Amino acid sequence: MNISQLQKVLREKVVQTAKEKFNVELGTAVAGEVPPKTELGDLAFPVAFELAKRIKQQTGKKKNPREIAETLRAALETQDFVERVEVAGAGYLNVFYNRAKFLSESVSANASAEQNSSGNETISKVCVEHTSVNPNKAAHIGHVRNSVLGDTFVRILRASGKRVEVQNYIDNTGVQVADVVVGFVYLEKKNLDDIKQLDENLKAGGKSFDYYCWDLYAKVGVAYQQNEGLKTKRAAVLHSIEEGNNETAMLADFVATRNVECILKTMERLSIRYDLLPRESEILHLHFWQKAFEEMKRRDVIKYEIEGKASGCWVMPFESHAGNDEHDADKILVRSNGTVTYTGKDIAYQMWKLGLLGLDFYYKLFREYADGKAVWITTAEDLRSEKVPVFGSNETVYNVIDSRQSYPQEVVKKGVATIFPERGEAASVHLSYEMVALSPNAAEQLGFTLSEEDKQKSFIEMSGRKGLGVKADDLIDRLEANALREVETRHADLSMEEKKKTAHTIAIGALRYFLLKFTLTTVIVFDFKEALSFEGETGCFCQYSAVRANSIFRKLEENALENATETISNSQTEIQELFATENEVWSLITLASRLGETIAQAVTATEPAILAKYTFGLAKAFNLFYHNHKIITEENPVKRALLIATADLARKSLTNALMTLGIEVPERM
RNA sequence: GCUCUCGUAGCUCAGUUGGAUAGAGCGUUCGCCUCCUAAGCGAAAGGUCGCGCGUUCGAGUCGCGCCGAGAGCACCA
């Protein structure tokens, strides 16, 4: 029996007893909570207060909460795993587990392998879309927050037993790509061959294509301000790109694809990989919108306006948003000139993700990652050549998009739910998070001169158009360089290859943890000092804790763990006696056992930070344990066994937690 | 104008469907390497949980109203 099963049994017992003794139906409302201190028990039910109220409502009689708690206590104490139950305070019911029994169960459960159901095709599939950087420049730290959140949520879903499809949407036919094309064609007078040559030259010089585009994009932004005519050019370029099958479209395709390659490479440094890259070009060419439009008309959820401001447009009515003079309650999906809005296209795409469109893409292999995993990209032609996995048709779709898009995302969710009430709004989840902004200080460190107005602000929004932002690869490079310096002073004996590998692992741990420790609703005001730190609440701290744990086992005799497990099952009485004084050891064991529960919480709350905080707490608890107990020199064999088993439970839980955060544990650090 | 998010220690942030004495990191001060890795551990100091009213046995958490900060509300994407 693991901890969550145990809690479930106890909760049910409370409900059952309330029904039998007091005739009160608590339903699932009964909550078990972790007491603030180990001395107060392992699980608490503040349920007697609620019961007292309900009894009064039903019978008119006042009943003392403590008295009620006493009755429940007797019932809970009959449970095998419960050592004792105390009634505390005004009526808290504090449950103490049988520690020795709990430990030996945990240790043997630990030995008999783990879960994993990710390969099981019968489990329904969910989709997480994240990253979706416009393929016209390098990714900056704000994009990385999106990707790290998305990737971590994918890992969390998988750890909780879900089958997950990871999509990275490529807006290869949008204005942002058009802007860079304008830069290449009109500012730099380059054709496709020139750009290919440029790309070769950049490669030879160790420079990156997406960095070049980053600067060019900023230059185009400036040029638009000085030259209105250039904006007309952009409209024409955009039109050609959308239409396809022409020189401009081919040039744009090259630029977008090269940027996608660069961005994927950046993300791979962070251990972020994708299953599919759906492109806007295919959504256009395979006429996804037309199909969705037909379905909307067939189901009569869209109307053609013949008067008013939106005259000549097709709109979807929304009751939830009351309109006013300035803004309509209805959302325009088709403009009066017959073209589709972004929201319209997005609804069609969301329908495909949920398996509701009745059309599919064609697919080709985009590339294989170093670990052998394949990432596919959509195409408009049926190539029929390869074994393509099944994409789309997801039970639930999580769209990782920053909070500024909450309104359009709500329209997509409600739109799809209006067309398909049988699936409802729950199928579409907007995993919304706040942006990463720059502290004025950080912006100046990047070499930007700030206006007086900007200096007054608490933070400054990053802007691709202005070229203002911390590029992901730059930051990773700095983190790796810093980590390498530290590794060199500590482990001069390691080979350069090993040192670099360790530095890389530390750098990624630092960056991922830094982005994950904030909750989704918090704006991260980026600060170099904080982001580059390896001390305190950092990924590095968590890794260090796990590395220390592993180093104990490297120094212990080979069968130490097996022997400890045996000792524990043969010495239950002595273990129980040891636990009487070793509260701190016990609380580390219970904390380590709560990983599964924490992951489940992170899924329900769609909040990866819950897992990050848990991981840090566990690392801290282990460091304390490590400091206070010397395992190798411990002479009492039973205590030694207890400490070994505890260290093993903690390091396994910590390693799994870190893995779910996408953070590896180095050999040494 | 309307909608959403946020306001907790000097700074940056956590705070489980309402529950026990509101926590962590950084910074400050003071300790700890003859000992499994000091990227660590311990201690001290630091709070009117923006303000007010309400609901409740119980409010940082829920409701209403103010104050302050941010984002959004296109026939843009």
Side-chain angles (χ1 to χ4, degrees):
Chain A
M1 175 143 31
N2 66 34
I3 199 160
S4 59
Q5 289 166 327
L6 178 52
Q7 286 181 12
K8 193 167 167 247
V9 168
L10 292 173
R11 268 203 302 273
E12 281 166 2
K13 192 76 190 170
V14 169
V15 173
Q16 188 197 336
T17 312
K19 175 81 182 145
E20 283 171 7
K21 302 281 183 182
F22 308 111
N23 195 30
V24 174
E25 198 66 63
L26 285 169
T28 50
V30 54
E33 59 186 36
V34 180
K37 283 183 180 175
T38 318
E39 297 78 51
L40 291 169
D42 303 309
L43 186 66
F45 291 104
V47 75
F49 310 110
E50 172 70 16
L51 271 173
K53 196 201 299 182
R54 299 275 283 268
I55 290 167
K56 197 181 165 197
Q57 280 171 3
Q58 285 180 19
T59 65
K61 283 181 203 159
K62 261 192 171 174
K63 210 162 170 69
N64 185 343
R66 280 195 75 103
E67 201 181 310
I68 297 165
E70 286 294 341
T71 309
L72 293 170
R73 174 173 113 154
L76 290 178
E77 278 187 338
T78 62
Q79 292 297 307
D80 199 16
F81 268 85
V82 175
E83 189 192 61
R84 67 180 198 282
V85 179
E86 285 177 2
V87 175
Y92 286 96
L93 210 52
N94 292 338
V95 179
F96 293 77
Y97 298 153
N98 180 325
R99 296 179 173 185
K101 193 174 169 66
F102 186 88
L103 175 65
S104 63
E105 289 272 333
S106 302
V107 168
S108 55
N110 194 358
S112 66
E114 297 276 314
Q115 14 118 36
N116 226 341
S117 44
S118 54
N120 191 339
E121 300 265 321
T122 58
I123 295 174
S124 63
K125 180 165 60 90
V126 301
C127 167
V128 176
E129 185 208 305
H130 66 77
T131 305
S132 308
V133 182
N134 268 304
N136 72 327
K137 61 178 176 308
H140 62 57
I141 184 71
H143 301 119
V144 178
R145 185 180 194 185
N146 181 302
S147 306
V148 167
L149 282 173
D151 180 66
T152 303
F153 196 63
V154 168
R155 290 165 189 266
I156 287 170
L157 286 169
R158 285 184 177 148
S160 75
K162 285 275 195 298
R163 208 151 59 91
V164 187
E165 174 176 308
V166 187
Q167 296 187 12
N168 172 6
Y169 176 70
I170 311 293
D171 185 3
N172 60 340
T173 56
V175 276
Q176 298 215 32
V177 169
D179 284 334
V180 174
V181 170
V182 166
F184 277 123
V185 175
Y186 296 102
L187 297 185
E188 305 200 330
K189 313 286 180 202
K190 287 188 169 74
N191 61 29
L192 181 53
D193 286 337
D194 298 333
I195 298 171
K196 284 181 176 169
Q197 188 56 53
L198 168 75
D199 187 32
E200 291 302 320
N201 295 346
L202 288 170
K203 265 182 206 159
K207 298 244 172 69
S208 178
F209 189 77
D210 59 342
Y211 271 46
Y212 188 89
C213 290
W214 174 280
D215 294 333
L216 181 56
Y217 185 41
K219 279 179 205 156
V220 175
V222 174
Y224 282 145
Q225 315 240 311
Q226 296 157 350
N227 180 355
E228 275 296 315
L230 213 53
K231 284 189 181 166
T232 322
K233 298 270 202 290
R234 170 171 69 179
V237 165
L238 185 58
H239 184 74
S240 302
I241 294 174
E242 282 179 356
E243 194 147 277
N245 287 321
N246 58 65
E247 236 171 81
T248 307
M250 282 168 69
L251 192 151
D253 184 59
F254 179 81
V255 170
T257 304
R258 280 297 293 122
N259 276 305
V260 169
E261 284 167 356
C262 291
I263 293 163
L264 256 61
K265 204 170 151 193
T266 304
M267 295 307 168
E268 200 179 359
R269 290 180 84 183
L270 289 152
S271 312
I272 298 171
R273 299 178 185 87
Y274 311 90
D275 298 315
L276 177 66
L277 312 174
R279 291 191 294 191
E280 189 183 36
S281 51
E282 277 71 58
I283 291 178
L284 295 177
H285 298 148
L286 294 169
H287 310 295
F288 274 27
W289 163 251
Q290 283 80 347
K291 179 78 178 172
F293 193 28
E294 281 167 27
E295 191 64 26
M296 289 180 207
K297 284 192 276 196
R298 199 172 70 78
R299 296 204 178 210
D300 201 24
V301 294
I302 189 167
K303 61 177 181 181
Y304 185 74
E305 294 284 350
I306 50 169
E307 56 181 10
K309 273 198 305 194
S311 179
C313 299
W314 286 87
V315 304
M316 189 177 262
F318 283 104
E319 290 158 9
S320 62
H321 278 75
N324 58 30
D325 294 346
E326 275 180 74
H327 302 289
D328 266 324
D330 301 345
K331 188 73 197 170
I332 292 166
L333 299 187
V334 180
R335 301 178 188 109
S336 54
N337 68 4
T339 56
V340 194
T341 62
Y342 176 81
T343 308
K345 277 185 277 191
D346 219 15
I347 289 175
Y349 175 38
Q350 186 76 1
M351 282 167 62
W352 170 79
K353 287 180 184 170
L354 289 164
L356 298 170
L357 186 64
L359 271 183
D360 198 3
F361 295 105
Y362 299 110
Y363 305 92
K364 68 178 179 193
L365 191 65
F366 185 67
R367 58 165 288 203
E368 270 182 14
Y369 288 107
D371 66 356
K373 191 184 134 48
V375 53
W376 297 76
I377 193 162
T378 55
T379 69
E381 303 143 52
D382 187 358
L383 301 168
R384 294 171 184 277
S385 52
E386 294 145 309
K387 282 186 184 167
V388 181
V390 175
F391 292 115
S393 302
N394 296 286
E395 182 190 51
T396 310
V397 171
Y398 297 90
N399 292 323
V400 183
I401 308 175
D402 80 71
S403 67
R404 287 170 290 190
Q405 300 223 34
S406 291
Y407 174 66
Q409 275 295 301
E410 194 189 325
V411 172
V412 169
K413 176 208 272 269
K414 292 215 160 113
V416 173
T418 306
I419 308 165
F420 301 94
E422 64 273 26
R423 289 293 285 274
E425 291 187 17
S428 309
V429 180
H430 176 202
L431 208 158
S432 167
Y433 65 94
E434 286 290 341
M435 63 178 162
V436 181
L438 297 169
S439 65
N441 194 15
E444 283 182 327
Q445 284 179 53
L446 286 166
F448 280 82
T449 42
L450 300 177
S451 64
E452 283 306 313
E453 192 191 342
D454 280 342
K455 281 181 190 165
Q456 296 308 310
K457 290 181 178 171
S458 55
F459 59 81
I460 297 159
E461 198 173 332
M462 286 193 273
S463 163
R465 194 172 292 275
K466 291 179 191 160
L468 175 55
V470 179
K471 292 198 272 299
D473 283 310
D474 286 349
L475 185 61
I476 299 170
D477 289 345
R478 280 182 70 174
L479 282 161
E480 285 182 346
N482 290 356
L484 185 61
R485 264 201 303 279
E486 287 291 324
V487 175
E488 300 222 282
T489 62
R490 286 156 206 261
H491 302 285
D493 55 314
L494 293 177
S495 73
M496 197 42 158
E497 196 189 344
E498 282 175 298
K499 280 188 252 190
K500 281 196 165 164
K501 192 179 164 215
T502 304
H504 171 76
T505 307
I506 293 167
I508 300 315
L511 182 50
R512 290 190 64 125
Y513 191 89
F514 173 72
L515 293 167
L516 289 168
K517 73 176 176 180
F518 299 96
T519 52
L520 300 171
T521 53
T522 301
V523 176
I524 299 180
V525 181
F526 184 87
D527 176 79
F528 280 105
K529 187 169 169 279
E530 210 185 329
L532 293 169
S533 170
F534 293 140
E535 283 166 20
E537 192 191 346
T538 62
C540 184
F541 177 98
C542 301
Q543 289 171 318
Y544 186 62
S545 183
V547 167
R548 282 173 140 186
N550 288 335
S551 84
I552 295 172
F553 285 87
R554 201 164 38 234
K555 298 209 170 167
L556 280 170
E557 63 279 10
E558 205 173 321
N559 294 328
L561 189 57
E562 287 82 351
N563 296 340
T565 308
E566 209 183 315
T567 307
I568 286 166
S569 64
N570 293 336
S571 323
Q572 289 281 288
T573 326
E574 283 165 272
I575 294 283
Q576 193 68 320
E577 281 166 16
L578 283 169
F579 270 134
T581 53
E582 300 290 351
N583 266 324
E584 179 202 297
V585 174
W586 171 247
S587 61
L588 178 57
I589 293 169
T590 52
L591 183 61
S593 73
R594 278 197 268 274
L595 174 60
E597 188 188 330
T598 305
I599 285 173
Q601 267 178 37
V603 172
T604 337
T606 59
E607 179 55 272
I610 292 175
L611 181 59
K613 293 286 175 187
Y614 168 84
T615 308
F616 175 64
L618 182 57
K620 215 165 36 157
F622 181 80
N623 268 338
L624 182 63
F625 166 87
Y626 179 91
H627 187 256
N628 290 341
H629 301 94
K630 299 294 169 227
I631 296 181
I632 291 174
T633 54
E634 175 59 48
E635 286 175 2
N636 176 344
V638 179
K639 183 165 183 189
R640 193 168 187 266
L642 169 63
L643 296 177
I644 290 172
T646 305
D648 188 57
L649 288 170
R651 71 168 174 154
K652 282 186 173 137
S653 194
L654 185 54
T655 307
N656 283 334
L658 281 167
M659 204 169 62
T660 310
L661 296 174
I663 298 172
E664 277 180 54
V665 178
E667 285 286 317
R668 288 163 214 277
M669 62 186 282

